[in-house]
Each structure stands twice: as C-alpha cells, then as structure tokens.
Amino acid sequence: MKVEAHHSRYEGKLMDAIESEKPQFFATHTTPVEYHRGLVSDKRRIGRGILAIGLLLGGMQVFIIGLTILAALIDAAIGTEARDGYTPLINAVGAFAVALLIPWSMLIQRWLYGVRGGALSSVLSHFRFDIFGRALVVLLPVTVALLVVYYWAPFPQTTWAWHDLLLLVATALVLTPFQAAGEEYGFRGLILRVVGSWTRNARLGLVLAITVSSVLFALVHFSTSGLLNVWYLVFAVGTAWITWRTGGLEIAIVLHAVFNATQFVIDAALQIDPTVATDRSAGAIDLSVLIPVPLIIGAVIVVALRTRRSGTVLTPSARMARG
C-alpha cells in the first residue's frame, strides 16, 4: 500500500510537471481545432479582433510610408534618378516594409490573445519546412511555365542602367519572398484567425474569415482595375482555403513568393519598365492579368485531392501533447 501511494504521488507530480511545460497553444484547446479557430475562446472578442486588424493594417502603412520617405531622402542625397517616384531603393524598402508584417503579426497575436507567434505558421505552432520544400519543388517550374505564356505579349521596356536592373533582381530574390510571406502572415494568418474566432460555428467562421481577409487583401493594393481586383480575390480566396485545409501558411507562402519573385526577375531580365509593370490603374490592365488564375485553381484542386482521405489538418489536442 505504501509503495502504491508513493507511486501515485510520484505520478501526480510528473503529470503536474508535464502540464506546466505544455506549450501555451496546447493549453488553449483540449480538443483538436482547425487553423482558423486557433484564437477561439469562451468570448467572441469582436472588438479585440477589430483592434488587431486595425493595428495590422495601420502598422503596414506606417512601415511603408516611413521607409519610403527614408529611401527618398537617401536617393536625393546620392543623386539617384527617380522615374515617377520609383527607384531600386524605394522598391527594396517597400518589400522590406511588408516583410515586417511577419514579426508584427506575431506580436499582435501575442499581445492581444496571449498566443505565441509560432502558432501563426501552422497548427503545430512552427513552420513546416518539409511541406514548404515539397511545394517549392512542384510550384517553381509550373509558375515559370505559366509566366512564359503571360509574357508572350511584349511589354514596354525601360532605359534604366544595368546596375539598377541588378538591384531589382537582388530585391526580387532576397526580399520579395519575405514580402510575400509577410502578406501571408498578416492576411491568411492573423486576419483569418481573428475573424474565424468570431462565430460559434466553425464553418460559418471559415466563410466569414476567408471573405473578410480576401476583401481586405484586395483593398490594400489600391487598384482601380476590376480585372486586377478579381485576380486579387481569386488569389486570396484560394490561398486562404489552402491554408485552412493544410493547417498552415507554407503552401500559400510558396505560391505567393514564387509568383512574385519570378515575375520581378523576368521583368528585370527583359528590361521591362517597372513603372509600367506596377501600374494598377484601370487603363493599364487587360485580360492577360487573369492568366495566372488557373495556377491558383490548380493548386486548390491538388490540395483537395491530396487531403481527401486525411481531411483538414488540425491542432494536436492537449492529450496528444502529453502523449
């Protein structure tokens, strides 16, 4: 009896130690939940969610405007020739400013919801590099082939110096992937999870989360072109669905980063005028902007087929974490 009592006390202490070492994310959910339900609690906290979205979007604009002003001052000091206010340095700081949404989104989630930043990456609370690598191997050649069709029609060429074009290529290869990841962490990450926590029903929360995050994603690009906004909505809805289904941002980041970086590299290689390539006004956009739509639809179909048996990836439960 003494041995059994001692064993029972030891087992109780051991379980208490395990409980105290559990990650905070696991402590929030006793049963597995979908990615967009990661911030669900007993209260809907809609006001807190609106504050989180406001901080995210406001912070993004502060980063962009502040760094752009700094870049313009540097350009003026060193005598860089600006074309419609566009220089390689302004292009680089613009990408860096959006990349700052990665730590900013994590900070907002931690501050307002008490959930660690890693939970934004996936339902496992960390970035799944194995999924990221497999998606990169598949999507890179597919995206390049698609953009060959997209660039079949000639674009206006630039007279920029070769060193300016090299700076644009360097930005595309080094900073653009992080810029794309920043948008994913902000819109398919934080906003999706914030809005997804506003309803009692998980499916209604998913529809609301995809709708709100996608509309906001299109709006922050400030385009007056209906066709371009259609492309933004298709891209946002597709990547949001993939994020929900796979339980993380990895494939969405690959889609976004590969498409943007490859496009910018080709622009520089063909000496396409970046002031024309980045023009989002209605008169500058034609139906060719919808050529990449099959890429997003195809990615959604592939993910649906690959997960038809396993279903939506969920968070580990507290019991699974102990195990």
Side-chain angles (χ1 to χ4, degrees), residues 6-7 24 51 55 66-67 98 120 126 131 147 150 156 163 175 181 199 204 228 237 241-242 274 278 295 309 318 321:
H6 177 73
H7 177 73
Q24 185 177 7
L51 175 61
L55 287 172
L67 290 175
V98 179
L120 276 178
H126 63 77
I131 295 177
L147 288 177
Y150 179 75
H163 52 78
L175 292 178
T199 66
L204 177 59
L228 191 54
V237 170
W241 186 91
I242 290 172
T278 57
L295 174 67
R309 292 185 178 179

Side-chain angles (χ1 to χ4, degrees), residues 25-26 29 32-38 116 118-128 131 193 243-250 312-317:
F25 185 68
F26 290 143
H29 305 286
V33 296
E34 298 161 313
Y35 177 84
H36 72 292
R37 303 291 283 177
R116 61 186 183 182
L120 276 178
S121 298
S122 75
V123 292
L124 298 183
S125 292
H126 63 77
F127 194 85
R128 299 169 299 181
I131 295 177
R193 286 160 62 85
T243 297
W244 162 73
R245 187 67 172 175
T246 61
L249 296 170
E250 296 86 0
T312 304
V313 181
L314 308 176
T315 62
S317 66

Side-chain angles (χ1 to χ4, degrees), residues 43-126:
K43 299 179 180 179
R44 298 186 185 184
R45 300 184 290 188
I46 295 178
R48 184 175 305 191
I50 293 174
L51 175 61
I53 295 173
L55 287 172
L56 177 77
L57 301 181
M60 181 175 68
Q61 296 306 315
V62 170
F63 298 151
I64 293 173
I65 294 173
L67 290 175
T68 299
I69 292 174
L70 177 62
L73 293 174
I74 295 174
D75 281 329
I78 63 178
T80 303
E81 180 185 358
R83 297 162 178 82
D84 296 330
Y86 195 92
T87 69
L89 182 58
I90 288 178
N91 175 62
V93 300
F96 180 73
V98 179
L100 289 176
L101 289 184
I102 300 175
W104 183 233
S105 299
M106 292 181 177
L107 181 62
I108 292 172
Q109 179 176 260
R110 184 68 184 231
W111 177 41
L112 294 181
Y113 292 91
V115 178
R116 61 186 183 182
L120 276 178
S121 298
S122 75
V123 292
L124 298 183
S125 292
H126 63 77

Side-chain angles (χ1 to χ4, degrees), residues 137-157:
V137 169
V138 173
L139 289 171
L140 180 58
V142 173
T143 303
V144 171
L146 180 69
L147 288 177
V148 168
V149 177
Y150 179 75
Y151 282 92
W152 195 259
F155 285 80
Q157 290 189 303

Side-chain angles (χ1 to χ4, degrees), residues 37 40 44 195-206 208:
R37 303 291 283 177
V40 169
R44 298 186 185 184
V195 180
S197 68
W198 286 350
T199 66
R200 302 298 183 192
N201 183 275
R203 287 295 171 267
L204 177 59
L206 177 63
L208 185 63

Side-chain angles (χ1 to χ4, degrees), residues 7-18:
H7 177 73
S8 177
R9 287 195 299 272
Y10 176 76
E11 186 181 50
K13 291 179 180 179
L14 178 61
M15 290 306 298
D16 289 341
I18 292 175

Side-chain angles (χ1 to χ4, degrees), residues 251-322:
I251 295 178
I253 289 174
V254 171
L255 274 168
H256 202 156
V258 166
F259 183 81
N260 282 8
T262 304
Q263 191 173 27
F264 292 148
V265 168
I266 294 176
D267 283 346
L270 297 179
Q271 297 188 12
I272 294 172
D273 190 344
T275 61
V276 175
T278 57
D279 188 351
R280 296 170 181 167
S281 61
I285 305 299
D286 57 27
L287 282 172
S288 64
V289 75
L290 299 180
I291 289 177
V293 167
L295 174 67
I296 306 303
I297 296 175
V300 168
I301 292 173
V302 170
V303 169
L305 292 175
R306 292 296 299 270
T307 59
R308 66 187 185 279
R309 292 185 178 179
S310 59
T312 304
V313 181
L314 308 176
T315 62
S317 66
R319 180 175 298 178
M320 291 170 63
R322 296 192 201 104

